[in-house]
Amino acid sequence: WMGINYVFSLEAKECAHDINSLMSKSRIAAMTKAGDNYLIISKDDSGVWVDYTENAVSTRQQVGTARLRVEYVTDDPDDPQTLGATGIRIEFNSDGSFHPTTPSDDYYTAIIVSSNGSRTIEMVPYTGHHQVR
C-alpha cells in the first residue's frame, strides 16, 4: 500500500523530471536550429505548465498539479521566488549556455518542485548544464 505522502513526493519528482527533459530538448534545439527556441514554466490554479517553443511553434503541456509548490532561484539561493501564472522564461544560447533573464540580466540557478518532499533542478548558467537532485 502506498501512502499519500509517497504519491505527492512522486508527483514532485515527475514534474521536475518533465521540466528538466523539456529543458534538454530546448537546449539541443538552440544549439542545432535557427529561430526562437525557449520554454516558459508557469503555475496557476489548475497546475504547473510548460509552454515549449521551437522555431516559433508553441505547445503547452501540463507537467504537474496545482498541489505542487514551484520556486525558482536567481542570484540569492536563500531567497527563492514563488512561480506564478506569469512564469519564467528559460532560453539557451547557441553554445548551449543559459541566456540571461530579461530585463534584469540575472541567471536562473535552480527550480525547486515540492510537495511532501522536493526535487531541485540545478542550473549552471555559463555551461547550460542542468540536472535534477
Side-chain angles (χ1 to χ4, degrees), residues 81-94:
Q81 304 296 308
T82 301
L83 185 68
T86 304
I88 58 171
R89 179 176 168 135
I90 305 291
E91 187 173 359
F92 293 90
N93 297 312
S94 60

PDB file of all heavy atoms in Angstrom, residues 81-94:
ATOM      1  N   GLN A  81      11.983  32.473  -5.188  1.00  0.00           N
ATOM      2  CA  GLN A  81      10.749  33.175  -5.547  1.00  0.00           C
ATOM      3  C   GLN A  81       9.698  32.152  -5.967  1.00  0.00           C
ATOM      4  O   GLN A  81      10.020  31.166  -6.632  1.00  0.00           O
ATOM      5  CB  GLN A  81      11.017  34.137  -6.710  1.00  0.00           C
ATOM      6  CG  GLN A  81      12.124  35.137  -6.437  1.00  0.00           C
ATOM      7  CD  GLN A  81      11.777  36.071  -5.297  1.00  0.00           C
ATOM      8  OE1 GLN A  81      10.720  36.693  -5.295  1.00  0.00           O
ATOM      9  NE2 GLN A  81      12.640  36.138  -4.297  1.00  0.00           N
ATOM     10  N   THR A  82       8.448  32.411  -5.598  1.00  0.00           N
ATOM     11  CA  THR A  82       7.357  31.504  -5.948  1.00  0.00           C
ATOM     12  C   THR A  82       6.962  31.703  -7.405  1.00  0.00           C
ATOM     13  O   THR A  82       6.761  32.833  -7.855  1.00  0.00           O
ATOM     14  CB  THR A  82       6.143  31.745  -5.030  1.00  0.00           C
ATOM     15  OG1 THR A  82       6.549  31.530  -3.677  1.00  0.00           O
ATOM     16  CG2 THR A  82       5.005  30.803  -5.363  1.00  0.00           C
ATOM     17  N   LEU A  83       6.854  30.601  -8.122  1.00  0.00           N
ATOM     18  CA  LEU A  83       6.456  30.639  -9.516  1.00  0.00           C
ATOM     19  C   LEU A  83       4.970  30.952  -9.607  1.00  0.00           C
ATOM     20  O   LEU A  83       4.167  30.382  -8.875  1.00  0.00           O
ATOM     21  CB  LEU A  83       6.750  29.291 -10.174  1.00  0.00           C
ATOM     22  CG  LEU A  83       6.509  29.184 -11.674  1.00  0.00           C
ATOM     23  CD1 LEU A  83       7.513  30.054 -12.431  1.00  0.00           C
ATOM     24  CD2 LEU A  83       6.622  27.737 -12.114  1.00  0.00           C
ATOM     25  N   GLY A  84       4.603  31.847 -10.511  1.00  0.00           N
ATOM     26  CA  GLY A  84       3.207  32.218 -10.683  1.00  0.00           C
ATOM     27  C   GLY A  84       2.752  32.048 -12.119  1.00  0.00           C
ATOM     28  O   GLY A  84       3.439  31.451 -12.952  1.00  0.00           O
ATOM     29  N   ALA A  85       1.597  32.626 -12.407  1.00  0.00           N
ATOM     30  CA  ALA A  85       0.974  32.479 -13.724  1.00  0.00           C
ATOM     31  C   ALA A  85       1.765  33.169 -14.832  1.00  0.00           C
ATOM     32  O   ALA A  85       1.703  32.760 -15.992  1.00  0.00           O
ATOM     33  CB  ALA A  85      -0.453  33.002 -13.679  1.00  0.00           C
ATOM     34  N   THR A  86       2.521  34.214 -14.492  1.00  0.00           N
ATOM     35  CA  THR A  86       3.340  34.890 -15.495  1.00  0.00           C
ATOM     36  C   THR A  86       4.469  33.985 -15.952  1.00  0.00           C
ATOM     37  O   THR A  86       4.823  33.959 -17.125  1.00  0.00           O
ATOM     38  CB  THR A  86       3.925  36.204 -14.925  1.00  0.00           C
ATOM     39  OG1 THR A  86       2.843  37.008 -14.468  1.00  0.00           O
ATOM     40  CG2 THR A  86       4.719  36.947 -15.973  1.00  0.00           C
ATOM     41  N   GLY A  87       5.022  33.246 -15.019  1.00  0.00           N
ATOM     42  CA  GLY A  87       6.038  32.254 -15.339  1.00  0.00           C
ATOM     43  C   GLY A  87       7.428  32.824 -15.517  1.00  0.00           C
ATOM     44  O   GLY A  87       7.666  34.027 -15.390  1.00  0.00           O
ATOM     45  N   ILE A  88       8.353  31.915 -15.798  1.00  0.00           N
ATOM     46  CA  ILE A  88       9.737  32.290 -16.089  1.00  0.00           C
ATOM     47  C   ILE A  88      10.106  31.720 -17.455  1.00  0.00           C
ATOM     48  O   ILE A  88       9.655  30.644 -17.831  1.00  0.00           O
ATOM     49  CB  ILE A  88      10.725  31.795 -15.011  1.00  0.00           C
ATOM     50  CG1 ILE A  88      10.677  30.280 -14.837  1.00  0.00           C
ATOM     51  CG2 ILE A  88      10.470  32.513 -13.687  1.00  0.00           C
ATOM     52  CD1 ILE A  88      11.766  29.706 -13.945  1.00  0.00           C
ATOM     53  N   ARG A  89      10.924  32.464 -18.161  1.00  0.00           N
ATOM     54  CA  ARG A  89      11.354  32.048 -19.494  1.00  0.00           C
ATOM     55  C   ARG A  89      12.769  31.483 -19.403  1.00  0.00           C
ATOM     56  O   ARG A  89      13.686  32.151 -18.921  1.00  0.00           O
ATOM     57  CB  ARG A  89      11.325  33.240 -20.442  1.00  0.00           C
ATOM     58  CG  ARG A  89      11.777  32.915 -21.855  1.00  0.00           C
ATOM     59  CD  ARG A  89      11.625  34.145 -22.728  1.00  0.00           C
ATOM     60  NE  ARG A  89      12.281  33.993 -24.004  1.00  0.00           N
ATOM     61  CZ  ARG A  89      11.735  34.343 -25.163  1.00  0.00           C
ATOM     62  NH1 ARG A  89      10.524  34.879 -25.185  1.00  0.00           N
ATOM     63  NH2 ARG A  89      12.400  34.186 -26.285  1.00  0.00           N
ATOM     64  N   ILE A  90      12.928  30.260 -19.859  1.00  0.00           N
ATOM     65  CA  ILE A  90      14.227  29.605 -19.898  1.00  0.00           C
ATOM     66  C   ILE A  90      14.648  29.534 -21.360  1.00  0.00           C
ATOM     67  O   ILE A  90      13.924  28.992 -22.201  1.00  0.00           O
ATOM     68  CB  ILE A  90      14.164  28.175 -19.304  1.00  0.00           C
ATOM     69  CG1 ILE A  90      13.581  28.176 -17.886  1.00  0.00           C
ATOM     70  CG2 ILE A  90      15.530  27.508 -19.378  1.00  0.00           C
ATOM     71  CD1 ILE A  90      14.459  28.797 -16.847  1.00  0.00           C
ATOM     72  N   GLU A  91      15.815  30.090 -21.632  1.00  0.00           N
ATOM     73  CA  GLU A  91      16.300  30.128 -23.008  1.00  0.00           C
ATOM     74  C   GLU A  91      17.792  29.827 -23.014  1.00  0.00           C
ATOM     75  O   GLU A  91      18.512  30.202 -22.096  1.00  0.00           O
ATOM     76  CB  GLU A  91      16.028  31.515 -23.589  1.00  0.00           C
ATOM     77  CG  GLU A  91      16.316  31.655 -25.041  1.00  0.00           C
ATOM     78  CD  GLU A  91      15.859  33.006 -25.598  1.00  0.00           C
ATOM     79  OE1 GLU A  91      15.295  33.825 -24.848  1.00  0.00           O
ATOM     80  OE2 GLU A  91      16.082  33.226 -26.796  1.00  0.00           O
ATOM     81  N   PHE A  92      18.230  29.153 -24.053  1.00  0.00           N
ATOM     82  CA  PHE A  92      19.638  28.803 -24.199  1.00  0.00           C
ATOM     83  C   PHE A  92      20.250  29.568 -25.362  1.00  0.00           C
ATOM     84  O   PHE A  92      19.578  29.871 -26.337  1.00  0.00           O
ATOM     85  CB  PHE A  92      19.802  27.298 -24.453  1.00  0.00           C
ATOM     86  CG  PHE A  92      19.402  26.448 -23.281  1.00  0.00           C
ATOM     87  CD1 PHE A  92      18.099  26.002 -23.141  1.00  0.00           C
ATOM     88  CD2 PHE A  92      20.332  26.088 -22.317  1.00  0.00           C
ATOM     89  CE1 PHE A  92      17.725  25.217 -22.064  1.00  0.00           C
ATOM     90  CE2 PHE A  92      19.964  25.305 -21.231  1.00  0.00           C
ATOM     91  CZ  PHE A  92      18.665  24.868 -21.103  1.00  0.00           C
ATOM     92  N   ASN A  93      21.535  29.855 -25.244  1.00  0.00           N
ATOM     93  CA  ASN A  93      22.294  30.439 -26.342  1.00  0.00           C
ATOM     94  C   ASN A  93      22.727  29.331 -27.294  1.00  0.00           C
ATOM     95  O   ASN A  93      22.668  28.150 -26.948  1.00  0.00           O
ATOM     96  CB  ASN A  93      23.526  31.175 -25.792  1.00  0.00           C
ATOM     97  CG  ASN A  93      23.139  32.334 -24.910  1.00  0.00           C
ATOM     98  OD1 ASN A  93      22.296  33.147 -25.264  1.00  0.00           O
ATOM     99  ND2 ASN A  93      23.745  32.410 -23.728  1.00  0.00           N
ATOM    100  N   SER A  94      23.230  29.700 -28.471  1.00  0.00           N
ATOM    101  CA  SER A  94      23.627  28.701 -29.470  1.00  0.00           C
ATOM    102  C   SER A  94      24.810  27.845 -29.016  1.00  0.00           C
ATOM    103  O   SER A  94      25.030  26.756 -29.551  1.00  0.00           O
ATOM    104  CB  SER A  94      23.941  29.373 -30.800  1.00  0.00           C
ATOM    105  OG  SER A  94      25.003  30.294 -30.643  1.00  0.00           O
TER     106      SER A  94
END
